[in-house]
Amino acid sequence: MSNLNGWGLTARLISKHFGALGDRVSEAIANFDPETATEADRDRLAVTLRETAQKLASARSAFDKEHGDVVRLRELIANDEKAALTLAERLAAGKISEATVSLFCDELEANKARLPIEIQEEADAREYMDELQKIVDALSKQLADFDAAAKKALQELAAAKAQKDLQQLRMERQEQLSSLSSMQTHSTALNALTRRAQSVSNEAAGLRIVADIAQKPLDQAAEINAIRQSVAQADTAGETALQRLQRLSGAKPDAA
C-alpha cells in the first residue's frame, strides 16, 4: 500500500478541493489494511469512497466544460484568422473602417492570449480528474480487498464450524456405540434375565423328568388293559347266539 509520500500531488489536490475530506481520504489511502480492518473501518471507507466518487463526477463535468471552452476558443481563433485576410482586403479597398478592424484585431489578440490560460485550465481539470480517478480506484481496491478478506474469513469460519460439528457428531456416535457395547457385555438386567431363563429352563427339564416317571406306570397299565381287552374280544369271536345270551345274562353256559 502506498504511503502519503506516494500521493503527494493527490494529497495537495484533495486538500485544496476537498477541505476536511481531503485529510480523511489521505488517511484512508495510507492507513487502511483490509486484513486487520473492522466492519466500522469498512463503513468509513465506503463513505469516503462515495464522497470521492461524487467529487470525481463533478470533476468530470468541470473537465468537460474546460475542454469545450478550449475547443470553442480554438475554433473561434481559427475562423477569425481566416476572416483577418478578408478584412485586410476590404480595408485596403476602403470597404471597412480602421476602427472596426482595430476592434476585430483586439478581440483576436485577446482570444489568442486567453488560449494558453484556457489550455492550462483544461490541463489542470484533467489532472484533477485523473487524480480523483486514482483515488477512487485505490479506495475501490481497498474496499474490494476488505470484502475478499472478509469473505475468506467467513469461509474459513464456516469450514471450522463444519469440522467442529463433524467431530462432535463422531464423538456422539462413538459414545452411543460404546454404550450399546457396554450393555451387551455388562448389563446387570440382561445378565439377570439370562440367569432367570436358564433357571426356568432347568425347572422345566426337571418337571419333564418327573412327569415322564409318573407317566410310565400309567402307560404300562393302559398297555396291559388294552391286551386284556383284545384277549376278551378274541374269546367271544366264535360264540353262538345261545352262548352270547348266556354271557350277557350272566348264566352259566350249558355243558357241551
Side-chain angles (χ1 to χ4, degrees), residues 216-232:
K216 188 173 182 180
L218 297 176
D219 291 341
Q220 291 174 340
E223 184 178 1
I224 292 172
N225 187 52
I227 292 173
R228 285 174 178 168
Q229 289 180 357
S230 66
V231 171

Side-chain angles (χ1 to χ4, degrees), residues 113-203:
R114 189 161 60 90
L115 181 59
I117 299 175
E118 292 292 340
I119 292 175
Q120 183 61 49
E121 290 178 353
E122 178 193 23
D124 292 343
R126 178 186 292 277
E127 183 180 42
Y128 178 57
M129 180 183 66
D130 291 345
E131 290 298 327
L132 282 175
Q133 185 64 62
K134 291 179 182 178
I135 294 173
V136 169
D137 291 345
L139 294 175
S140 298
K141 184 178 184 305
Q142 288 176 324
L143 198 60
D145 289 345
F146 175 87
D147 290 340
K151 181 179 180 180
K152 180 181 178 182
L154 289 175
Q155 290 174 338
E156 292 176 350
L157 178 60
K161 287 183 177 179
Q163 186 62 228
K164 178 183 176 182
D165 292 342
L166 175 60
Q167 298 305 321
Q168 183 66 32
L169 179 60
R170 290 183 62 195
M171 291 179 62
E172 291 176 357
R173 289 176 176 173
Q174 289 171 356
E175 290 176 357
Q176 292 175 357
L177 291 174
S178 177
S179 177
L180 291 174
S181 177
S182 177
M183 286 180 63
Q184 291 175 348
T185 56
H186 299 97
S187 173
T188 302
L190 183 59
N191 290 339
L193 288 174
T194 302
R195 289 194 300 271
R196 177 60 178 165
Q198 185 62 49
S199 176
V200 172
S201 177
N202 293 339
E203 290 177 3

Side-chain angles (χ1 to χ4, degrees), residues 10 18 35 45 53 78 95 103 157 173 187 203 214 225 242:
T10 299
F18 279 43
E35 296 294 335
L45 183 65
K95 296 180 180 181
L103 180 60
L157 178 60
R173 289 176 176 173
S187 173
E203 290 177 3
N225 187 52
L242 178 60

